[in-house]
Amino acid sequence: QQVKTFLERIRAGDYKGAYALWGCTDATPCPHYAFDKFMEDWGPASPQAKIADAEIVNTKSCDSGIIQFLRFPDQHEVQLWVERRDRTIGFAPWPICNPRMKAP
């Protein structure tokens, strides 16, 4: 559900709201993922600009979160990680569940 909410916010142009789902806000910015970088990745000039046509094509459930695969019209995919503990979104660091990453 969190990735669907993220997609809805991007589609609506609510980039700050979508960025907040990554745990990043104006009050608590993410030091390793600044908003300008987020916009490079998800804004209207990004490779993911056709977000309206993206679809979730696969989901893998892992101990501490899930990996969701987004496919875009040009067939490129982006893998997103949703952390179970706090439901924050990020890029999946691997395409499969890593058995060494157990839930705390």
Side-chain angles (χ1 to χ4, degrees):
Q1 187 62 34
Q2 198 73 338
V3 170
K4 287 181 182 177
T5 300
F6 172 73
L7 294 176
E8 289 168 5
R9 289 182 183 181
I10 293 288
R11 288 174 181 144
D14 179 11
Y15 297 106
K16 290 280 187 173
Y19 187 58
L21 295 173
W22 291 63
C24 311
T25 65
D26 289 337
T28 57
C30 291
H32 302 292
Y33 197 42
F35 185 70
D36 61 340
K37 177 61 177 150
F38 178 85
M39 289 302 291
E40 285 178 26
D41 292 337
W42 297 103
S46 75
Q48 285 69 247
K50 295 190 181 226
I51 197 88
D53 298 322
E55 59 183 329
I56 298 170
V57 295
N58 195 8
T59 300
K60 293 185 180 182
S61 182
C62 305
D63 278 350
S64 59
I66 63 166
I67 302 168
Q68 290 202 301
F69 297 74
L70 300 180
R71 184 171 296 143
F72 289 81
D74 65 0
Q75 298 303 304
H76 85 275
E77 288 187 0
V78 174
Q79 299 158 11
L80 295 178
W81 174 259
V82 180
E83 184 68 36
R84 288 188 201 283
R85 177 177 28 90
D86 59 8
R87 300 186 57 182
T88 55
I89 296 175
F91 290 109
W94 53 85
I96 60 171
C97 297
N98 185 334
R100 292 182 290 176
M101 301 300 290
K102 298 288 185 191

